[in-house]
Amino acid sequence: MNREKEIIKVSILGIIMNVFLVILKAGVGFAVNSIAIILDAVNNLTDVISAVVTIVGTKLAGKRADKEHPFGHGRIEYIASVVIAIIILLAGLTSVKESIEKIIHPLDTKYSIISLVIIVVAIIVKFIFSKYAKKVGKEINSQSLQATGTDAFMDSILSFSTLVTAIINLQFGLQLEGYVGILISVIILKASFDILRDTLNSLIGVRVDCELSKQIKEMIKSFDKVQGVYDLTFHNYGPTNTMGSAHVQIDEKMTAQEIDKLTRHIRYKIYDEYKIIMTIGIYAKNGEDEECNKIQQDLEEIISKYPAITQLHGFYVNKEEKTVSFDLIIDFKSDSPKKIRKSVIEKIKEKHNEYKYYVIVDNDFSE
């Protein structure tokens, strides 16, 4: 499946559908003097603009990497999503203004059977399109298409609320246009904030999906000579360009040739399975040595007194250079990781003062 072609195909289909709905709803809205239907048409118009932005963003994001942008242009998709969120936000604010005016200065609304039929058609069309856009968006990992699907589903809900308002007006003569307009406005604004939040999270960087993290770690652990996997991180440069890194713990006696062979096999397997480019770092593990084991046992006993320390890894003793290296993962809630690190070093030095300690405070990047 060609990702770019699928996004553009769904977006063009959305443009055609929404232009059709804008013409229908605007015509009915002005004919029956309904602010709710008119705002619904405006909402569809923003969907047309959003689809155009999605197409432009997808084309730009699909450009090949170049000297100035060696990681490609994939993050332009996120920028396009921000633009879409802003467009929807402006539409929502405009809807609020128009709806308040309608509440303050109500006008007679005269619905007809034809107007109700058109609203029903709009509900069905939008609902079917929302399912289709979400399905394709999930299959090709497109935030913009999934956002389009969510927006289309919300549109069908809004059109349904307009239908209920029209029926109440016909049956009881009640004018609820302005209030329904406020409801539509609130939902439009919420949709814009949700899209903006999700997109900004992608730009800032969020914790890797827990299930993916487990799968990658299990895959790496499946190699015989790997004794542990740590520091798994991922960085994406667009939805389809992900790079990652991890440390594997191996026996200190492995040769450079053996390590090279192992890390290449790990990288190839992950790329074949997940299309993620990995960098594999090495933690050497001491063999059976009484002194090394004693230092590790004392260290583990010390860190057990610190609830904020969630993991110790990368432990290695270099007896020739008289150095001890290890990493500490400290809970994000702790406001004093540097103090904890200093305290741990001081306590282990009390027991093994002849060594110099190299300690890195790590973040818990994955599960």
Side-chain angles (χ1 to χ4, degrees):
M1 183 182 288
N2 186 304
R3 185 174 183 276
E4 182 178 317
K5 284 184 178 178
E6 285 298 313
I7 293 175
I8 292 173
K9 182 180 77 174
V10 175
S11 298
I12 290 174
L13 180 63
I15 289 172
I16 294 170
M17 175 196 66
N18 281 303
V19 167
F20 173 71
L21 292 177
V22 167
I23 294 170
L24 275 182
K25 289 180 181 179
V28 171
F30 284 112
V32 302
N33 200 24
S34 168
I35 187 66
I37 297 179
I38 293 171
L39 290 180
D40 214 353
V42 171
N43 189 34
N44 290 140
L45 183 60
T46 65
D47 293 343
V48 174
I49 299 170
S50 297
V52 172
V53 173
T54 298
I55 292 173
V56 173
T58 301
K59 294 296 287 184
L60 292 174
K63 289 175 61 181
R64 293 179 60 186
D66 53 41
K67 190 173 182 180
E68 290 184 348
H69 309 95
F71 298 105
H73 300 78
R75 286 182 175 172
I76 290 177
E77 275 198 41
Y78 299 144
I79 297 172
S81 294
V82 171
V83 173
I84 291 171
I86 292 172
I87 291 170
I88 296 173
L89 176 64
L90 293 174
L93 293 174
T94 302
S95 297
V96 170
K97 176 178 174 293
E98 295 297 327
S99 299
I100 291 173
E101 288 181 0
K102 184 71 173 181
I103 292 172
I104 297 172
H105 305 292
L107 298 172
D108 279 340
T109 305
K110 298 179 180 179
Y111 289 102
S112 64
I113 298 299
I114 294 176
S115 64
L116 296 184
V117 170
I118 289 174
I119 295 172
V120 170
V121 169
I123 294 169
I124 295 170
V125 169
K126 272 291 188 177
F127 182 77
I128 293 172
F129 179 74
S130 73
K131 294 294 183 183
Y132 175 63
K134 272 190 172 183
K135 177 177 175 291
V136 176
K138 286 180 180 178
E139 288 176 354
I140 62 177
N141 189 26
S142 169
Q143 279 190 343
S144 57
L145 276 192
Q146 290 185 59
T148 297
T150 300
D151 189 42
F153 178 73
M154 296 309 300
D155 287 350
S156 66
I157 299 297
L158 297 179
S159 294
F160 181 75
S161 68
T162 304
L163 177 65
V164 172
T165 303
I167 293 172
I168 290 173
N169 180 268
L170 284 172
Q171 290 294 317
F172 306 104
L174 296 176
Q175 295 288 342
L176 302 176
E177 293 287 312
Y179 299 101
V180 172
I182 290 289
L183 173 64
I184 292 173
S185 304
V186 170
I187 294 175
I188 291 173
L189 289 172
K190 183 183 182 301
S192 71
F193 288 130
D194 288 345
I195 295 170
L196 197 58
R197 180 199 61 218
D198 293 344
T199 306
L200 291 179
N201 278 339
S202 295
L203 286 170
I204 294 168
V206 293
R207 178 182 293 275
V208 65
D209 176 71
C210 186
E211 191 58 37
L212 175 62
S213 173
K214 286 180 179 178
Q215 290 173 9
I216 297 288
K217 285 184 176 180
E218 288 303 316
M219 179 178 284
I220 296 174
K221 287 177 185 176
S222 68
F223 288 85
D224 290 338
K225 294 181 180 180
V226 173
Q227 300 177 5
V229 183
Y230 309 99
D231 306 325
L232 178 64
T233 62
F234 292 116
H235 309 279
N236 77 69
Y237 297 89
T240 61
N241 184 11
T242 300
M243 297 182 181
S245 63
H247 276 101
V248 295
Q249 185 169 278
I250 58 174
D251 190 280
E252 64 179 343
K253 293 180 180 179
M254 284 184 67
T255 66
Q257 185 180 43
E258 290 173 329
I259 293 171
D260 180 73
K261 181 180 177 181
L262 174 65
T263 55
R264 285 179 188 272
H265 283 171
I266 292 171
R267 294 180 74 237
Y268 295 153
K269 189 170 183 179
I270 292 174
Y271 186 76
D272 284 343
E273 186 79 20
Y274 299 98
K275 295 298 179 285
I276 296 174
I277 300 170
M278 291 290 294
T279 299
I280 305 297
I282 300 297
Y283 284 141
K285 180 174 173 57
N286 294 111
E288 286 301 319
D289 182 279
E290 188 175 337
E291 185 178 356
C292 295
N293 289 341
K294 176 60 175 169
I295 296 172
Q296 185 167 3
Q297 288 170 9
D298 289 340
L299 180 60
E300 288 173 350
E301 185 180 346
I302 289 168
I303 69 170
S304 68
K305 306 292 195 318
Y306 295 85
I309 298 178
T310 60
Q311 191 184 84
L312 159 71
H313 65 252
F315 178 86
Y316 185 71
V317 178
N318 188 319
K319 295 178 72 172
E320 290 182 4
E321 296 182 358
K322 289 293 179 183
T323 60
V324 177
S325 305
F326 58 89
D327 294 358
L328 295 174
I329 291 184
I330 298 178
D331 195 294
F332 285 108
K333 295 177 182 178
S334 172
D335 58 359
S336 56
K338 290 182 180 179
K339 289 181 180 179
I340 293 173
R341 174 185 179 274
K342 183 180 178 182
S343 178
V344 169
I345 292 173
E346 288 173 351
K347 286 184 174 3
I348 192 65
K349 272 188 173 182
E350 291 174 4
K351 294 178 178 289
H352 303 278
N353 191 43
E354 69 275 21
Y355 284 90
K356 185 173 182 179
Y357 295 87
Y358 294 100
V359 183
I360 292 175
V361 175
D362 251 345
N363 284 330
D364 181 14
F365 295 109
S366 57
E367 53 78 31

